[in-house]
Amino acid sequence: MVARHTLPALGGAVLVLTAAVACAPADETTGGPGASPSASVDPCPPGGLPTLAKGTLTIGTDNPAYEPWFVGNKPENGKGFESAVAYQVAERLGYPASRVTWTRVPFNNAIQPGPKSFDMDINQFSVTDEREEAVDFSSPYYLVRQTVITTKGSVVDGQTSVAGLRNAKLGAQVGTTSLQAINDAIKPSRQPQVFNSNDDAKQALQNGTVDGLVVDLPTAFYMTSAELTDGVIVGQLPQVGVPERFGILLDKDSPLTECVTDAVDELRQDGTLAVLEKTWLAGSDGAPELS
């Protein structure tokens, strides 16, 4: 489902060989030993990358795949910000929707070192130095803010500062930068709760096991408006250092990394990422800042 923002097909170069070249010795032609090629080889041949399955791009994400990143837990429908981004990247690489296959990979498994069951994985992966020791990332397709959410009337509802959260019972999904943000930005007085999925985290918040959760900002807007009873955004955590970035994840030293990065860069430069962000993440601004 990539209709609106695709690039025109690439035209092939036509080489005209003169009779003199045709008659030249083998080492003076493009095919001879020690010869210099007359035309550079495309490092990212459209639809011809060294993918796991020839002619098919296999994309991974988690199960469930949450809104607003995906819609209806169906990444293959092209709906939701990350699904739309994935199909746009695939299109830039020469893989139309009919040549894209999705596979489900738990978040924590994807960021571990070792062989992958996908060519690329898109699942709100924040780019960190530690993760880059085990996997590759594309250039960023989204800049992130971590946000505290709760339910109306909880002990953190109405807090306006990070200090006001330090004695609260907070939680986040395992392996995420949301969990890291609790420890690094809030420095709570008690150990944060760790959950296998955001579904488990939401249930804990709803039944009072935790006072608040930390999630990325678009997820915070979606959870509090559509998934939680009396959901409330407490505020965005302060940005420390380099802005947090979401990148597409690939196997370490993947031959596809530079090609995927080039595709993401094209999407940013031609305005497609901005259009997709406005389409699928609309309203994800205006949350209060925690001092």
Side-chain angles (χ1 to χ4, degrees):
M1 174 172 173
V2 205
R4 288 189 296 176
H5 304 285
T6 57
L7 294 177
L10 296 175
V14 179
L15 299 179
V16 180
L17 302 179
T18 66
V21 172
C23 296
D27 62 358
E28 293 179 17
T29 66
T30 57
S36 298
S38 60
S40 60
V41 176
D42 186 351
C44 304
L49 299 176
T51 52
L52 292 176
K54 186 176 181 180
T56 299
L57 186 68
T58 302
I59 305 177
T61 198
D62 209 343
N63 188 22
Y66 296 105
E67 300 194 26
W69 312 104
F70 300 89
V71 174
N73 194 24
K74 295 179 179 179
E76 66 277 3
N77 65 16
K79 298 179 180 179
F81 180 67
E82 288 190 328
S83 179
V85 169
Y87 276 115
Q88 287 286 341
V89 169
E91 186 80 12
R92 297 301 197 280
L93 296 175
Y95 297 88
S98 60
R99 294 173 62 189
V100 170
T101 297
W102 288 86
T103 187
R104 299 303 188 110
V105 183
F107 184 100
N108 224 29
N109 291 1
I111 60 177
Q112 299 303 312
K116 307 302 181 189
S117 60
F118 51 80
D119 296 308
M120 66 183 214
D121 195 319
I122 186 165
N123 188 25
Q124 303 114 71
F125 294 112
S126 295
V127 180
T128 68
D129 291 342
E130 181 181 6
R131 289 175 180 173
E132 287 187 307
E133 294 179 3
V135 296
D136 282 357
F137 289 100
S138 72
S139 58
Y141 60 88
Y142 184 70
L143 300 182
V144 195
R145 290 293 299 273
Q146 294 297 327
T147 306
V148 181
I149 65 172
T150 190
T151 52
K152 188 175 181 180
S154 80
V155 296
V156 297
D157 182 15
Q159 293 292 337
T160 60
S161 68
V162 171
L165 302 172
R166 290 199 173 117
N167 292 324
K169 295 178 292 183
L170 302 172
Q173 184 177 346
V174 64
T176 61
T177 49
S178 299
L179 180 60
Q180 183 179 341
I182 295 176
N183 291 317
D184 294 350
I186 300 175
K187 297 180 173 61
S189 61
R190 60 182 78 188
Q191 193 76 11
Q193 293 288 313
V194 181
F195 302 97
N196 289 326
S197 70
N198 275 343
D199 282 341
D200 293 341
K202 286 181 294 186
Q203 186 59 47
L205 178 59
Q206 203 72 76
N207 64 29
T209 303
V210 294
D211 301 318
L213 300 176
V214 175
V215 294
D216 59 76
L217 183 58
T219 299
F221 273 92
Y222 184 77
M223 279 188 174
T224 55
S225 64
E227 297 189 318
L228 290 168
T229 302
D230 294 327
V232 175
I233 291 180
V234 180
Q236 299 178 71
L237 291 173
Q239 181 69 63
V240 179
V242 177
E244 187 177 346
R245 303 155 291 155
F246 283 171
I248 295 174
L249 183 148
L250 303 96
D251 199 1
K252 187 66 176 175
D253 299 323
S254 168
L256 274 62
T257 300
E258 288 190 12
C259 300
V260 173
T261 286
D262 289 346
V264 172
D265 290 344
E266 283 183 7
L267 295 175
R268 184 185 312 105
Q269 291 161 8
D270 69 17
T272 300
L273 285 178
V275 171
L276 295 179
E277 188 173 329
K278 184 176 181 180
T279 300
W280 296 108
L281 305 180
S284 294
D285 53 11
E289 299 266 353
L290 294 168
S291 59

